């Protein structure tokens, strides 16, 4: 039995970039105030949208009588702003924020007798020219760039029809999804994906399966945060992606019905219904979506083997493998909840989320092995039939107390999530005769993988706007995760199934995380600061029952974060951000036993993985709330990377996760929101970055680096009365991951929509990846490893959909979120 307690976790070095940031901030924020004279007047107010919701981070300029900008500031998260030390005189304030018409107040006067001006609530109205007129008049633009996040308003997008949530992410600016479902943001791997503000606690593979099983008809918007605050879990080195599901906020009874159908290499279809009943104190809501996704995928895999143990010269043997896989997927998503306001200060809520589905991996593989001269050494055909079923259920009970003081709130959540996953595998390999003198042989293996993960979570959050310029957020959270994975393999010998002792294993994993955070938002004269500190204590225990080995770890980490915002007049805004984050290995990565893809390829976990830690810096500039330029520098220590290995004498390849010394990622990105004409609006994202991997593996030291770039463009066009068109495209240049390199890939998609029945219904036609150019080509060349992969997913498809909205659709009550911000990322399973 092996026990390890309190391991030493390497601290990443911030590097010289930190000194540059500090010097820059001192030079910017220590500058002289705009008003040099001694003044003591104060101007304050609150910015709100037409439906009463506060507008955070709006740009507010203080103007003199001639309209010249004297001071600038930002509204806080409650929409409140203030100017202090203002001389006597006549002034106006001008407010601008993306997606809304600018607002300029009436002239007011500061005098010796009236040194405090309270402007009250200043209402901004949505800018019709900037709205994407896809379906309804009040619709937001497809992509919005906020001060700390990018928001994709999926709900009415034409291109979202008939997709899965994972396919939606592929179109998002700065996001790249690899062929096995790994998600990276601006070149940084290790992204934490949340659903409705809750972590999924699923492994990358099982999360990929869950997102494949989530119909886009259920998704309202996607929020992308590259530098989250201390309020969020410290997990997710690459940042956080929050997928918000639909929830109707209109009063009375209302709902939506949708149908879609189409084809790629196979058929796809789905349907859904969303119902909502809301009164002054009660809200009852529910939704259900069903989807079938037929898909066929092609894979070519070339491996070269060298008897010398080093990939140099001509290989002694080469393996050429071709795989064709049918992957039908059936999914059921449902959501039901009730919110009840006990009185004006207290409310209760109950919510149930469910995702139940079935996925089949049915592949046929041919494999030819040849020698140096090209002579055939062996031929094999393999069939892999893997039937997978999963059931994800999450129950949430929440309570919200609003104090008499506006903005002061206390929320509490209790969550239970149950995730079950089963895999029934049948792997049959036939070795074909190479010549007439030989006869073929067949080997068969079957596997059964039941995996269960239960999550228990309790959380409390408190928010207090202490003053007009100071806001406090604090909270506590505890989570307990229990995972049980019992993998059994049987081998067919002499027509009898025999238990495979070497291939089977039983692995149990328990994890506790206890966290607390403090977050302050403070508005100063001319700039604002948000500073936070999160502490997390982690205790893990991995029990390998098959070999009776036990590995324990416990550690405490602090995760500071800071954001500084400074407006320069009404058009310019500067922000500096820093955060420290962690990425813990998921349960499947820690499980050391083998999962076979075919007899010559398997995956294996590593129980000695350490968590990776990152220091992330970003400096950004926003112009006219439409154009954002960002510089970023990120350094990750003990970066977890899947590394390929090879056993040359038996022509076998394996993959397992290992800690490399570090990953350095830095670059520059540019986001632009455009409205060239009344009939054309768009959002465009460009990113230039460099990834530098370094470290040592079981096969030796290495460095792998490359400068990469990407571009994403989303465009909306008005095409006459009741018609609209969308056109999107992305391009990713070559990149690196660990010891592997990837070639460029790109795709172009388009769609058209017509609204009917007085905007109560719409018909949409979408074509995804028109040129079928989205493919994944990987090359690995290191030590004795020399291999190429070419994967061609079923990405080109045409979908026709119909959506009907009935009942009252007018929103007059703002949404209250549940207090739990994070639940469910690291359970093993999926495909």
């Amino acid at each position: 039995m092996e026990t390890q307690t309190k391991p030493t976790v390497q601290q990443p070095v911030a590097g010289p970039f930190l000194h540059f940031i500090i010097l820059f901030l001192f030079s910017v924020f220590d500058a002289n105030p705009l008003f040099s004279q001694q003044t003591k007047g104060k101007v304050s107010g609150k910015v709100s949208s037409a439906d009463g919701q506060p507008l955070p981070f709006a740009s507010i300029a203080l103007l003199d009588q001639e309209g010249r900008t004297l001071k600038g500031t930002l509204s806080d998260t409650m929409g409140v702003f203030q100017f202090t030390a203002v001389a006597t005189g006549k002034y106006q304030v001008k407010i601008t924020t993306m997606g809304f018409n600018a607002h300029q107040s009436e002239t007011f006067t500061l005098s010796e007798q009236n040194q405090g001006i309270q402007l009250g609530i200043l209402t901004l109205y949505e800018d019709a020219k900037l709205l994407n007129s896809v379906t309804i008049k009040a619709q937001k633009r497809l992509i919005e760039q906020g001060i700390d996040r990018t928001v994709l308003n999926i709900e009415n997008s034409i291109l979202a029809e008939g997709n899965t949530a994972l396919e939606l992410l592929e179109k998002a600016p700065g996001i790249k999804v690899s062929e096995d479902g790994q998600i990276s943001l601006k070149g940084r791997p290790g992204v934490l994906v949340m659903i409705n503000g809750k972590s999924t606690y699923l492994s990358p593979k099982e999360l990929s399966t869950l997102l494949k099983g989530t119909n886009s008809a259920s998704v309202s918007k996607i929020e992308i945060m590259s530098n989250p605050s201390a309020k969020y879990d410290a997990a997710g080195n690459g940042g956080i992606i929050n997928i918000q599901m639909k929830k109707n906020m209109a009063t009375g009874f209302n709902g939506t019905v949708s149908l879609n159908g189409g084809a790629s290499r196979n058929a796809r279809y789905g349907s859904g219904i969303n119902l909502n009943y809301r009164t002054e104190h009660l809200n009852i809501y529910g939704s259900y979506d069903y989807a079938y996704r037929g898909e066929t995928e092609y894979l070519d895999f070339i491996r070269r083997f060298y008897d010398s143990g080093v990939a140099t010269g001509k290989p002694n043997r080469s393996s050429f493998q071709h795989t064709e896989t049918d992957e039908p997927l059936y999914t059921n998503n449902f959501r039901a909840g009730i919110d009840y306001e006990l009185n004006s200060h207290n409310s209760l809520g109950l919510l149930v989320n469910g995702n139940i589905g079935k996925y089949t991996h049915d592949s046929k593989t041919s494999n030819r092995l040849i020698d140096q001269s090209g002579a055939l050494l062996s031929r094999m055909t393999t069939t892999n039939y893997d039937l997978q079923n999963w059931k994800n259920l999450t129950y949430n009970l929440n309570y919200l107390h609003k104090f008499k003081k506006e903005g002061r709130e206390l929320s509490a959540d209790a969550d239970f999530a149950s995730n079950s996953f089963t895999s029934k595998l049948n792997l049959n390999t036939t070795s074909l005769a190479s010549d007439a003198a030989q006869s073929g042989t067949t080997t068969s293996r079957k596997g059964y993988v039941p995996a269960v993960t239960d999550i228990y979570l309790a959380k409390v959050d408190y928010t207090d706007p202490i003053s007009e310029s100071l806001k406090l957020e604090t909270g506590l959270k505890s989570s307990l995760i229990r995972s049980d994975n019992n993998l059994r393999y049987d081998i067919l010998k002499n027509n009898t199934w025999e238990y495979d002792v070497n291939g089977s294993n039983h692995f149990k994993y328990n994890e506790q995380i206890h966290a607390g955070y403090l977050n302050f938002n403070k508005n100063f004269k001319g700039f604002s600061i948000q500073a936070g500190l999160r502490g997390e204590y982690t205790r893990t225990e991995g029990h390998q029952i098959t070999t009776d080995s036990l590995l324990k770890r416990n550690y405490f980490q602090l995760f500071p974060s800071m954001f500084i915002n400074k407006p320069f007049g009404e058009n310019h805004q500067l922000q500096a951000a820093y955060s420290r984050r962690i990425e813990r290995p998921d349960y499947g990565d820690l499980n050391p036993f083998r999962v076979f893809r075919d007899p010559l390829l398997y995956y294996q976990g590593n129980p000695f993985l350490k968590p990776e830690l990152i220091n992330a810096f970003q400096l950004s500039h926003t112009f006219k709330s439409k154009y954002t330029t960002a510089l970023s520098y990120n350094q990750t220590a003990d970066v977890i990377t899947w590394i390929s290995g090879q056993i040359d004498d038996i022509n076998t390849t394996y993959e397992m996760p290992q800690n490399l010394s570090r990953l350095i990622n830095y670059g520059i990105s540019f986001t632009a929101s455009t409205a060239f004409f009344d009939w054309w609006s768009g959002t465009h994202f460009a990113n230039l970055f460099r990834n530098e991997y370094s470290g040592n593996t079981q096969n030796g030291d290495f460095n792998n680096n490359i400068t990469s770039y990407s571009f994403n463009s989303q465009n909306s066009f008005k095409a006459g009365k009741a018609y609209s068109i969308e056109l999107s495209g992305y391009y990713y240049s070559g990149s690196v991951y660990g010891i592997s390199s990837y070639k460029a890939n790109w795709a172009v998609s388009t769609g058209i929509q017509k609204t009917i029945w007085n905007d109560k219904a719409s018909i949409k036609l979408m074509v995804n990846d028109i040129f079928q150019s989205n493919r994944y080509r990987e090359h690995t060349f290191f030590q004795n490893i020399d291999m190429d992969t070419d994967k061609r997913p079923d990405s080109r498809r045409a979908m026709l959909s119909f959506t009907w909205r009935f009942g009252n659709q007018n929103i007059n009550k703002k949404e209250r979120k549940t207090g739990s911000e994070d639940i469910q990322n690291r359970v093993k399973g999926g495909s």
Side-chain angles (χ1 to χ4, degrees):
M1 181 178 294
E2 180 183 359
T3 303
Q4 182 177 343
T5 306
K6 293 184 178 179
T8 301
V9 180
Q10 182 178 344
Q11 306 295 319
V13 180
F17 192 77
L18 176 59
H19 302 290
F20 166 76
I21 287 290
I22 293 174
L23 290 173
F24 179 84
L25 294 179
F26 272 118
S27 66
V28 172
F29 299 106
D30 213 25
N32 290 327
L34 293 175
F35 287 359
S36 58
Q37 63 205 74
Q38 296 296 318
T39 52
K40 53 184 178 180
K42 184 172 75 171
V43 178
S44 59
K46 182 176 181 179
V47 187
S48 172
S49 62
D51 59 2
Q53 300 225 32
L55 292 178
F57 308 115
S59 297
I60 297 98
L62 183 67
L63 311 179
D64 64 10
Q65 282 184 289
E66 285 73 35
R68 294 174 299 189
T69 298
L70 303 175
K71 281 189 174 186
T73 189
L74 298 172
S75 60
D76 65 14
T77 53
M78 300 300 297
V80 175
F81 69 91
Q82 71 168 345
F83 295 103
T84 58
V86 183
T88 58
K90 294 184 177 181
Y91 302 97
Q92 292 177 310
V93 294
K94 184 175 181 180
I95 307 171
T96 57
T97 189
M98 189 171 65
F100 292 83
N101 289 313
H103 174 86
Q104 191 159 321
S105 72
E106 299 291 332
T107 301
F108 55 88
T109 302
L110 274 175
S111 63
E112 291 294 334
Q113 295 75 28
N114 186 12
Q115 297 181 358
I117 298 294
Q118 171 54 252
L119 299 175
I121 298 177
L122 304 176
T123 302
L124 269 63
Y125 296 91
E126 291 178 317
D127 187 348
K129 292 183 179 180
L130 293 180
L131 294 179
N132 172 15
S133 58
V134 172
T135 52
I136 56 178
K137 294 180 181 179
Q139 185 181 325
K140 300 176 182 178
R141 54 186 298 125
L142 184 59
I143 299 179
E144 297 178 327
Q145 182 66 45
I147 192 70
D148 64 340
R149 67 192 65 190
T150 300
V151 180
L152 282 72
N153 295 302
I154 297 296
E155 190 161 357
N156 295 299
S157 170
I158 304 170
L159 298 177
E161 293 299 324
N163 283 308
T164 68
L166 189 66
E167 291 164 341
L168 292 179
L169 292 180
E170 292 178 342
K171 297 183 176 69
I175 294 177
K176 184 175 182 181
V177 181
S178 70
E179 72 278 8
D180 56 359
Q182 297 277 355
I183 300 170
S184 61
L185 175 60
K186 292 185 178 180
R188 292 160 51 189
V191 176
L192 173 65
V193 176
M194 306 166 71
I195 297 178
N196 289 325
K198 301 173 183 292
S199 301
T200 59
Y201 291 114
L202 301 174
S203 72
K205 288 187 177 180
E206 188 161 282
L207 175 63
S208 175
T209 301
L210 176 64
L211 295 178
K212 287 178 182 177
T214 302
N215 190 353
S216 60
S218 303
V219 178
S220 172
K221 61 182 178 180
I222 298 174
E223 299 173 317
I224 304 169
M225 295 169 276
S226 57
N227 277 73
S229 71
K231 184 175 181 179
Y232 295 94
D233 278 357
N237 280 351
I240 290 178
I241 297 172
N242 182 31
I243 300 174
Q244 287 281 357
M245 310 304 285
K246 290 181 181 177
K247 184 178 179 181
N248 198 322
M249 299 308 300
T251 58
F253 177 74
N254 49 76
T256 304
V257 173
S258 62
L259 298 168
N260 65 73
S264 52
R265 294 175 182 142
N266 300 90
R268 290 190 178 204
Y269 52 83
S271 61
I273 184 170
N274 189 328
L275 300 174
N276 186 79
Y277 176 73
R278 178 181 289 274
T279 65
E280 183 179 359
H281 300 290
L282 178 68
N283 182 38
I284 302 174
Y285 56 92
S287 64
Y288 170 76
D289 292 286
Y290 170 82
Y292 168 77
R293 186 209 69 184
E295 183 168 331
T296 299
E297 178 181 277
Y298 303 114
L299 170 68
D300 288 306
F301 190 22
I302 301 174
R303 292 172 287 176
R304 303 168 186 91
F305 303 96
Y306 300 82
D307 291 339
S308 63
V310 179
T312 182
K314 192 173 183 180
N316 298 95
R317 293 172 307 284
S318 298
S319 168
F320 296 87
Q321 178 176 314
H322 175 76
T323 300
E324 181 176 325
T325 306
D326 285 325
E327 301 178 283
L329 175 73
Y330 301 85
T331 61
N332 300 269
N333 298 277
F334 60 88
R335 189 169 189 254
I338 181 170
D339 294 325
Y340 182 67
E341 293 189 4
L342 304 174
N343 50 48
S344 60
H345 295 288
N346 299 280
S347 60
L348 285 171
L350 177 65
L351 173 65
V352 180
N353 279 310
N355 184 292
I356 300 173
K358 180 175 70 173
Y359 166 80
T360 303
H361 176 100
D362 186 4
S363 66
K364 298 177 178 61
T365 300
S366 61
N367 190 305
R368 294 186 304 112
L369 185 67
I370 63 173
D371 64 13
Q372 280 185 323
S373 64
L376 183 65
L377 297 176
S378 67
R379 292 187 300 156
M380 290 191 301
T381 60
T382 300
T383 59
N384 184 344
Y385 186 85
D386 187 5
L387 178 61
Q388 302 176 7
N389 291 272
W390 71 88
K391 180 169 66 175
N392 306 101
L393 298 174
T394 302
Y395 307 89
N396 169 263
L397 178 65
N398 59 79
Y399 167 74
L400 176 66
H401 175 72
K402 296 181 179 180
F403 295 86
K404 292 183 178 179
K405 180 180 179 181
E406 183 181 0
R408 180 183 291 173
E409 294 181 351
L410 176 71
S411 63
D413 283 75
D415 292 89
F416 170 68
S418 175
N419 304 279
S420 63
F421 172 86
T422 59
S423 170
K424 296 180 180 179
L425 168 72
N426 284 279
L427 190 67
N428 298 295
T429 301
T430 300
S431 297
L432 303 175
S434 301
D435 54 54
Q438 297 178 338
S439 59
T441 60
T442 300
T443 60
S444 297
R445 173 190 294 268
K446 68 178 181 179
Y448 178 63
V449 188
V452 177
T453 301
D454 292 330
I455 300 106
Y456 305 85
L457 183 143
K459 185 181 181 193
V460 60
D461 293 285
Y462 174 73
T463 301
D464 188 359
I466 298 173
S467 67
E468 290 184 345
S469 62
L470 179 62
K471 177 183 175 183
L472 166 69
E473 294 176 308
T474 186
L476 298 171
K477 175 182 175 181
S478 288
S479 61
L480 171 64
I481 299 97
R482 294 176 176 172
S483 177
D484 191 342
N485 187 310
N486 192 356
L487 168 63
R488 177 190 174 101
Y489 278 123
D490 291 281
I491 299 176
L492 186 63
K493 293 183 177 179
N494 300 321
N495 294 322
T496 302
W497 289 105
E498 296 183 4
Y499 178 66
D500 182 6
V501 178
N502 296 322
S504 304
N505 91 104
H506 190 185
F507 182 70
K508 288 188 175 183
Y509 182 85
N510 294 324
E511 177 183 274
Q512 298 180 44
I513 300 177
H514 306 285
Y517 72 91
L518 282 170
N519 213 40
F520 290 93
N521 291 270
K522 173 67 176 176
N523 286 337
F524 293 93
K525 183 168 55 178
F527 68 97
S528 62
I529 291 180
Q530 177 178 287
L533 181 65
R534 185 180 186 91
E536 292 190 353
Y537 170 78
T538 305
R539 181 182 180 87
T540 65
E541 179 181 290
H543 187 193
Q544 188 57 250
I545 296 175
T546 305
T547 59
D548 193 25
S549 63
L550 185 68
L551 184 64
K552 294 183 178 180
R553 286 179 174 164
N554 62 87
Y555 47 90
F556 177 77
Q557 294 284 340
L558 290 174
F559 303 97
S561 64
M562 178 171 286
F563 304 83
I564 304 178
N565 298 284
K566 181 173 178 61
F568 294 89
E570 61 177 291
N571 290 331
H572 298 274
Q573 180 177 296
L574 193 67
Q575 182 193 57
Y578 164 75
S579 64
R580 185 173 188 261
R581 306 188 63 76
I582 189 172
E583 182 73 8
R584 302 175 181 90
D586 70 63
Y587 322 136
D589 290 348
L590 296 168
N591 192 340
F593 275 71
R594 300 175 179 178
V595 176
F596 288 88
R597 177 70 181 263
D598 61 55
L600 301 180
L601 176 63
Y602 65 85
Y603 306 94
Q604 178 174 306
N606 180 358
F608 301 104
L609 287 175
K610 295 182 292 184
E612 58 184 37
L613 294 166
I614 185 172
N615 282 310
F617 303 85
Q618 181 167 289
L619 181 65
S620 61
H621 169 262
T622 301
F623 177 61
K624 289 186 176 181
S625 299
K626 296 180 180 180
Y627 310 101
T628 300
T629 304
L631 293 167
S632 62
Y633 177 89
N634 313 283
Q635 182 166 304
T636 306
D638 294 321
V639 58
I640 300 172
T641 309
W642 279 83
I643 302 294
S644 298
Q646 225 165 240
I647 307 173
D648 292 274
D649 55 351
I650 58 174
N651 307 319
T652 298
T653 302
Y654 65 89
E655 292 186 9
M656 67 180 298
Q658 296 184 37
N659 287 110
L660 304 180
S661 297
R662 67 177 185 177
L663 164 64
I664 294 178
N665 163 273
Y666 54 92
I668 181 171
S669 64
F670 178 71
T671 305
S673 298
T674 58
F676 299 115
F677 307 98
D678 290 343
W679 50 270
W680 179 14
S681 62
T683 302
H684 321 282
F685 175 83
N687 187 32
L688 177 69
F689 64 94
R690 184 171 178 82
N691 277 346
E692 299 178 354
Y693 286 90
S694 61
N696 56 70
T697 69
Q698 293 180 349
N699 297 324
D701 298 338
F702 84 100
N703 290 279
N704 196 14
N705 53 74
I706 194 174
T707 299
S708 306
Y709 59 92
S710 64
F711 177 76
N712 180 290
S713 180
Q714 302 270 355
N715 300 270
S716 299
F717 306 91
K718 298 177 183 178
K721 186 177 180 180
Y723 284 93
S724 57
I725 297 173
E726 284 184 25
L727 178 66
S728 76
Y730 66 82
Y731 178 86
Y732 297 105
S733 71
S735 60
V736 295
Y737 173 78
I739 64 174
S740 299
S741 300
Y742 292 83
K743 293 185 178 181
N745 70 320
W746 58 281
V748 176
S749 303
T750 189
I752 185 170
Q753 172 183 267
K754 177 176 172 53
T755 58
I756 57 176
W757 301 349
N758 295 322
D759 289 344
K760 291 291 186 179
S762 59
I763 301 172
K764 305 175 185 179
L765 175 65
M766 182 273 294
V767 181
N768 188 74
D769 191 11
I770 300 171
F771 305 103
Q772 204 163 24
S773 53
N774 183 27
R775 58 194 295 187
Y776 304 97
R777 292 170 293 174
E778 176 185 356
H779 176 64
T780 305
F781 189 83
F782 177 68
Q783 298 291 329
N784 66 324
I785 305 166
D786 182 5
M787 60 187 187
D788 292 280
T789 303
D790 186 0
K791 185 175 183 180
R792 302 180 296 284
D794 200 351
S795 56
R796 180 168 61 186
R797 56 188 170 276
M799 299 294 298
L800 181 66
S801 68
F802 170 78
T803 303
W804 173 45
R805 295 170 295 279
F806 57 88
N808 180 31
Q809 298 290 327
N810 296 318
I811 300 174
N812 60 6
K813 187 179 182 72
K814 66 180 181 181
E815 179 178 1
R816 178 185 63 78
K817 295 181 180 179
T818 60
S820 177
E821 295 290 339
D822 320 290
I823 196 177
Q824 283 200 28
N825 212 342
R826 301 187 333 273
V827 187
K828 193 63 177 180
S831 61

